[in-house]
């Protein structure tokens, strides 16, 4: 049986890195009063159509959608924000009128061409600051992304930021942009040409050189923004400067989802080649209302864990000590089983980790394995030890052996604890 294209098994060697990311995240979120939310992986297809937008790549070609046994249209979530907005409304989290700060981490699904940093099942870690129009909220979420990346020793990145204004401003701009592009239609790359009337802003994002050349002289979205949009943007930039967070204004930056307004930003690393965006986010003031809730301005981001890991795996690998069994349990004999089960329960009570050899090898081989696995000590239990109510401890670093009484096991435990 083959694993599905675009999916990956995360094996124990790597799960320790994931656990490190989770632990670091959880610590930072707790400090900043962000609370974890877990929403279902399946949602109604209409949720994503309405929130992400019909003209977007995600909705047009990347969704894993199916009809269930009761003819419901269902989709495996391609991102987290839409589900959180839905949960926010369904659970009436707005009734006390306070800002809600939420974070999530989980698998997302998009039918894309798999390549380095691009999978069909991937994971996003995201935060949402729900209920504030204040530009300080934008700065807060950006600062937390920055803090998290630094704590995870990811430093080789640059944050790009832009304001994409309000819907009306964008609509005016779209009109001029389309008019500007129309004479060049035949020179645009296929993908951009297809987006001309459905999702023209995304053309700004094209990596095609010819398209980029055409766009170079196009009208600029920023020039279509009115004072409130510009003011908001200036404030966010001012706070970032105050926080010493370096950023680059990229006036061509737009996001692949329809629900954003005002601030849009991406964090890109220098070490990943084409799939270089590890974090994308922005403000989404209208989304909750659009999904049937009250008007609640919000801002957030999502980090792709797999892409993040590609950039920090080597440093983390060195930093995180793989847990080695402290005590290797070597057994050799016919009457040792119950005794060793007793020993295990005692070790567990004392928080001493152990690895019981189940392979029925000779004692010699078991000792070799203990060495190979980096155990600090080996406890040897043979028929001899059982008969004499004792157990033999072998210290791996010196090969010293000593016997301990098993009726009063305190001496043994103390010796093991001192070896830590
Ligand atoms: P891209 O332009 O690379 O397709 P996107 O704009 O579609 O990214 P977002 O929807 O903003 O991505 O998602 C936020 C982050 O999630 C991305 O910056 C990336 O790190 C990660 N991500 C998105 N799609 C994938 C994928 N198919 N595989 C792995 N990570 C992904
Ligand atoms: Mg994408």
């Amino acid at each position: 049986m083959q694993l599905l294209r675009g999916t990956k098994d995360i094996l124990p060697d790597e799960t320790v890195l994931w656990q490190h990311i989770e632990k670091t995240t959880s610590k930072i979120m707790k400090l900043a009063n962000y609370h974890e939310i877990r929403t279902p992986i399946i949602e109604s297809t209409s949720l994503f159509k309405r929130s992400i937008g019909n003209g977007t790549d995600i909705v047009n070609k990347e969704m894993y959608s199916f009809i269930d046994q009761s003819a419901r249209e269902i989709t495996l979530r391609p991102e987290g924000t839409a589900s959180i907005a839905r949960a926010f409304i369904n659970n009436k989290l707005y009734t006390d009128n306070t800002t809600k700060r939420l974070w999530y981490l989980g698998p997302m699904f998009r039918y894309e061409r798999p390549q380095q940093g691009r999978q069909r099942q991937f994971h996003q870690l995201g935060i949402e600051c729900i209920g504030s129009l204040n530009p300080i909220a934008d700065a807060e979420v950006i600062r937390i992304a920055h803090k998290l990346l630094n704590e995870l020793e990811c430093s080789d990145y640059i944050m790009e930021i832009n304001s994409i204004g309000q819907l009306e401003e964008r609509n005016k701009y779209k009109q001029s942009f389309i008019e500007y592009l129309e004479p060049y239609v035949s020179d645009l790359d296929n993908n951009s040409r297809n987006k001309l009337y459905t999702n023209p802003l995304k053309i700004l994002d094209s990596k095609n050189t010819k398209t980029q050349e055409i766009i170079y002289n196009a009208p600029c979205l920023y020039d279509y923004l009115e004072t409130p949009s510009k003011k908001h943007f200036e404030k966010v930039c001012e706070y970032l400067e105050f926080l010493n967070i370096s950023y680059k204004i990229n006036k061509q930056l737009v996001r692949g989802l329809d629900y954003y307004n005002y601030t849009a930003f991406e964090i890109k690393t220098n070490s990943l080649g084409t799939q270089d965006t590890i974090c994308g986010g922005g403000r989404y003031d209208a989304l909750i209302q659009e999904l049937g809730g009250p008007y609640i301005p919000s801002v957030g981001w999502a980090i792709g864990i797999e892409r993040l890991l590609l950039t920090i795996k080597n440093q983390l690998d060195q930093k995180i000590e793989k847990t080695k069994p402290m005590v290797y349990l070597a057994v050799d004999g016919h009457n040792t089983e119950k005794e060793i089960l007793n020993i295990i329960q005692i070790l567990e009570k004392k928080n001493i980790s152990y690895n019981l050899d189940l392979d029925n090898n000779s004692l010699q081989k078991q000792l070799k394995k203990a060495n190979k696995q980096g155990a600090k000590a080996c406890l040897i239990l043979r028929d001899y030890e059982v008969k004499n109510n004792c157990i033999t401890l072998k210290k791996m670093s010196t090969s010293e052996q000593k016997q301990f009484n098993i009726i009063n096991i305190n001496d043994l435990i103390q010796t093991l604890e001192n070896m830590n």
Side-chain angles (χ1 to χ4, degrees), residues 99-237:
T99 306
K100 291 284 175 309
R101 293 177 166 91
L102 301 170
W103 71 273
Y104 61 91
L105 194 163
M108 306 293 162
F109 305 82
R110 296 185 195 176
Y111 194 81
E112 303 197 67
R113 190 169 69 79
Q115 50 197 295
Q116 163 103 324
R118 198 177 285 291
Q119 295 172 201
R120 288 180 175 171
Q121 176 174 337
F122 62 101
H123 295 74
Q124 280 184 344
L125 158 66
I127 73 173
E128 317 289 356
C129 179
I130 305 176
S132 172
L133 193 55
N134 193 328
I136 199 133
D138 308 44
E140 171 179 301
V141 297
I142 292 171
R143 194 190 62 75
I144 289 174
H146 188 74
K147 164 108 184 122
L148 182 67
L149 293 178
N150 280 301
E151 200 129 318
L152 290 170
E153 288 176 45
C154 171
S155 50
D156 193 16
Y157 64 81
I158 174 79
M159 193 188 65
E160 295 189 355
I161 186 167
N162 191 21
S163 177
I164 56 167
Q166 300 280 45
L167 190 64
E168 310 82 64
E169 294 157 347
R170 274 198 306 282
N171 282 343
K172 267 192 207 149
Y173 171 72
K174 273 183 199 169
Q175 202 117 53
S176 318
F177 188 47
I178 292 172
E179 274 165 29
Y180 167 84
L181 287 176
E182 272 168 340
Y184 301 102
V185 164
S186 54
D187 297 326
L188 293 174
D189 62 279
N190 284 339
N191 213 349
S192 297
R193 198 177 311 122
N194 290 337
K195 288 186 175 134
L196 186 57
Y197 298 105
T198 51
N199 197 2
L201 288 186
K202 253 324 222 187
I203 299 177
L204 291 168
D205 211 22
S206 167
K207 306 271 186 297
N208 183 282
T209 15
K210 188 90 215 253
T211 304
Q212 275 300 327
E213 273 170 30
I214 296 169
I215 290 168
Y216 190 77
N217 289 316
C220 176
L221 171 58
Y222 198 80
D223 297 333
Y224 286 69
L225 304 191
E226 314 267 346
T227 314
S229 292
K230 283 185 171 156
K231 277 244 155 68
H232 187 96
F233 187 60
E234 280 160 17
K235 276 282 172 206
V236 176
C237 293

Side-chain angles (χ1 to χ4, degrees), residues 358-393:
L358 293 173
D359 292 344
N360 267 335
N361 285 324
S362 69
L363 192 63
Q364 213 54 32
K365 274 199 177 148
Q366 295 187 54
L367 289 172
K368 257 194 193 153
K369 272 208 282 186
N371 232 339
K372 210 170 149 196
Q373 296 191 11
K376 290 215 170 97
C378 196
L379 285 178
I380 302 168
L381 192 72
R382 293 161 291 199
D383 288 337
Y384 164 82
E385 276 89 2
V386 176
K387 206 181 290 165
N388 292 289
N389 281 327
C390 69
I391 191 156
T392 302
L393 169 79

Side-chain angles (χ1 to χ4, degrees), residues 58 110 112 117-119 122 124 255 257 266 277-280 302-304 307:
I58 296 181
R110 296 185 195 176
E112 303 197 67
R118 198 177 285 291
Q119 295 172 201
F122 62 101
Q124 280 184 344
R255 310 270 310 117
L257 304 91
E266 287 187 348
T277 308
I278 47 176
C279 175
I303 289 178
R307 280 192 208 171

